[in-house]
């Protein structure tokens, strides 16, 4: 019997119609194995093939093909097989290769399948131009039950999505409706992208949390958008019409549908549906339906994307309007600051702003940006001390979808959003050491990577940094990188505290009174002379920010047309003001009474500050502040 098997095998051949062996003819022998290993009867250099992929051998006067537990499967006439009897003309797909099985000496021209050697696309693959889709062009539709169901689905989808305004809600509902009428397992919608660039919006749905992020074959999406064609493939890994890429291999999709979202003058994006279920295959009707749905949804998706973009821009502009860009004051120290702004604004050099908290560093940063050539681009501000290290990293650099729990969308960071403009990093001295290293790379290379990403993103920004810390001391203590400090300290200025420009206090105070009086329920015309004396003699440890808060409080709590001393915070009127008009009056009497109460309580507590604070029902820190403001330190030492 062995001789009989050999005789049969000599009469069977494989004709390669695509792949590395295209155009060759292979004689089948007994126990004929195919794979990447050289020990196989037929060795094919193909990364998609397994080492031992499949075997063909005689059995009962027929040839049988067996899949040898390969990673990517063996297909006969577009269907996955474990073991199957071969017939003349059967099409075998493995890896990137397609063979035709020929038996009993019959010629290649005799098989029932017609194969186009110029473009060997398997019968499981279809391409459909968007304008030729059945439900896009005005034409006579075939009167079949399935066509009527598809038309009803299109009408329902069109009616449903027309009432949804939010982009995310629209995409979620659209995918839900698509997967109700098309037997897909996963889906995604891509908007606003071009080949090789990031998409403006990517939304996907998958029932399996392990598929987040969903590995969508980018090459397929780019081809659908570029050529404006719908694509159907029931054997992606064996499909010679699709270039195999790493994303396709990772997607592990058995059947794929994709349709372009076509606007009036360009492709806006694509809709993608796939399934890994070997028992599910898409057909031409599914491709027609998805293309029709994409045509119906394109306008609604474009409108939603544009609306969301305008909303984001509107929020950004409102945020900038709410920040006062004008600095108030004409003291010599302020003129020096304004002169500095005029000199550095026209360049792209990194600027370091130093000074105590509340001295107006953000106003200076925005003034530099507003007077620079970058003024038409965004000026994005972020406080390094307001966020945790992980959140700050995401805010600065952005993150890829699925980079961490809750990262359901791709998010661009502030460095990416501000490209072409300026980035203001406040409280830079609080930056964690890990982020310091990443920021150093941005300053050196002008590029960064998103959290969870591997691709370097170029950025064109001007960095303006601010800190109230002594960076030189931080460098010596090892809490701030020396190389980053030198990169930041290109041009710098120290903003003066308010106590060093007391001449600006009346002007600033009146400015804040006018600003907040517009929202007040009472008419305020100005600040009394006595109150101005207290304002000028107070040291303002919180600087301009504290002054603004004091004026707003005075307007809210006051009852006359003028801001009076009693409208001011206690910490201001408790300051000793020998030259104050009306000395010895009400406020001086209140001050003396407070001094006597504090001294008597400390005497009763035998100098125990905690006990005295308890008796006075004050927090100990408030008692110490009161002692300082009443200037009781020297008297208590006696």
């Amino acid at each position: 019997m062995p001789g009989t098997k050999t005789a049969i095998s000599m009469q069977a051949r494989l004709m390669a119609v695509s792949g590395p062996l295209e155009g060759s003819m292979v004689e089948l022998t007994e126990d004929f194995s195919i794979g990447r290993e050289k020990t196989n009867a037929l060795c094919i250099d193909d990364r998609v093939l397994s080492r031992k992929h499949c075997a063909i051998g005689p059995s009962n006067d027929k040839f049988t093909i067996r899949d040898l537990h390969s990673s990517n499967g063996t297909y006969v006439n577009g269907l996955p097989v474990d073991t199957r009897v071969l017939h003349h003309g059967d099409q075998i797909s493995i890896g990137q290769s397609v063979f035709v099985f020929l038996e009993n000496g019959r010629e290649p021209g005799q098989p029932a399948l017609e194969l186009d050697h110029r473009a060997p696309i398997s019968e499981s693959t279809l391409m459909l131009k968007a304008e030729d889709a059945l439900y896009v062009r005005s034409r006579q539709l075939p009167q079949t039950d399935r066509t009527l169901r598809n038309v009803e689905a299109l009408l329902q989808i069109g009616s449903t999505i027309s009432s949804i305004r939010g982009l995310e809600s629209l995409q979620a509902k659209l995918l839900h409706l698509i997967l109700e009428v098309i037997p897909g397992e996963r889906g995604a919608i891509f908007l606003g992208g071009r080949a090789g660039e990031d998409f403006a919006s990517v939304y996907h749905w998958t029932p399996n949390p392990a598929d987040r992020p969903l590995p969508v074959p980018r090459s397929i999406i780019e081809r659908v958008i570029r050529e404006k064609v719908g694509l159907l493939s029931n054997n992606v890994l064996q499909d010679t019409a699709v270039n195999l890429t790493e994303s396709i291999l990772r997607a592990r999709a058995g059947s794929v549908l994709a349709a372009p979202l076509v606007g009036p003058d360009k492709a806006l994006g694509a809709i993608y549906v796939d399934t890994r279920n070997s028992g599910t295959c898409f057909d031409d009707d599914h491709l027609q339906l998805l293309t029709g749905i994409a045509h119906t949804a394109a306008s609604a998706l474009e409108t939603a994307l544009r609306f969301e973009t305008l909303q984001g821009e509107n929020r950004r502009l409102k945020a900038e309007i709410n920040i006062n860009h004008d600095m108030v004051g004409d003291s010599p120290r302020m003129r020096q600051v304004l002169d500095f702004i005029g000199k550095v604004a026209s360049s792209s050099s990194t600027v370091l702003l130093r000074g105590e908290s509340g001295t107006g560093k953000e106003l200076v940063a925005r003034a530099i940006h507003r007077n620079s050539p970058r003024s038409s681009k965004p000026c994005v501000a972020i406080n390094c001390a307001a966020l945790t290290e992980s959140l700050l990293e995401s805010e600065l650099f952005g993150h890829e979808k699925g980079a961490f729990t809750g990262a359901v969308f791709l998010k661009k960071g502030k460095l990416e959003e501000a490209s072409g403009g300026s980035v203001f990093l406040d409280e830079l001295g609080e930056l964690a050491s890990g982020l310091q290293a990443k920021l150093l790379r941005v300053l050196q290379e002008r590029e960064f990577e998103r959290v969870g990403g591997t691709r370097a993103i170029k950025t064109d920004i001007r960095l303006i940094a601010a800190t109230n810390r002594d960076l030189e001391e931080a460098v010596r203590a090892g809490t701030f990188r020396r190389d980053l400090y030198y990169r930041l300290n290109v041009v710098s200025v120290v903003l003066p505290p308010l106590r060093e420009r007391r001449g600006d206090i009346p002007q600033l105070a009146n400015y804040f009174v006018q600003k907040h009086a517009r929202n007040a329920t009472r008419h305020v015309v100005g600040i009394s002379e006595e109150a101005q004396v207290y304002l000028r003699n107070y040291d303002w440890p919180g600087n301009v920010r504290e002054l603004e808060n004091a004026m707003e409080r005075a307007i809210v709590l006051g009852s006359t047309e003028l801001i009076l001393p009693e409208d001011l915070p206690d910490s201001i009127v408790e300051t000793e003001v020998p030259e104050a008009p009306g000395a010895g009056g009400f406020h001086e009497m209140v001050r003396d009474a407070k001094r006597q109460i504090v001294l008597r309580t400390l005497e009763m507590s035998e100098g125990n500050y905690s006990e005295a604070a308890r008796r006075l029902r004050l927090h100990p820190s408030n008692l110490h502040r009161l002692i300082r403001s009443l200037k009781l330190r020297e008297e208590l030492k006696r």
Side-chain angles (χ1 to χ4, degrees), residues 157 161-162 164-175 178 188-192 200-201 203 259-263 268-272 293-309:
I157 290 173
I161 65 177
S162 64
I164 301 175
R165 292 291 175 264
L167 179 61
E168 182 180 346
S169 300
L170 175 59
Q171 293 178 112
K173 187 63 177 178
L174 182 58
L175 279 182
I178 288 172
I189 297 175
F190 299 81
L191 290 176
S201 171
Y203 184 90
L261 293 160
V262 181
L268 308 170
I271 300 178
Y272 170 90
I293 293 173
H295 177 77
T296 301
S299 178
L301 288 168
E302 182 182 25
T303 301
L305 177 62
R306 186 175 299 170
F307 182 70
E308 187 173 88
T309 303

Side-chain angles (χ1 to χ4, degrees), residues 85-100:
V85 175
L86 293 174
H87 301 282
H88 180 75
D90 280 348
Q91 184 175 305
I92 302 169
S93 299
I94 53 173
Q96 301 182 66
S97 299
V98 178
F99 298 93
V100 175

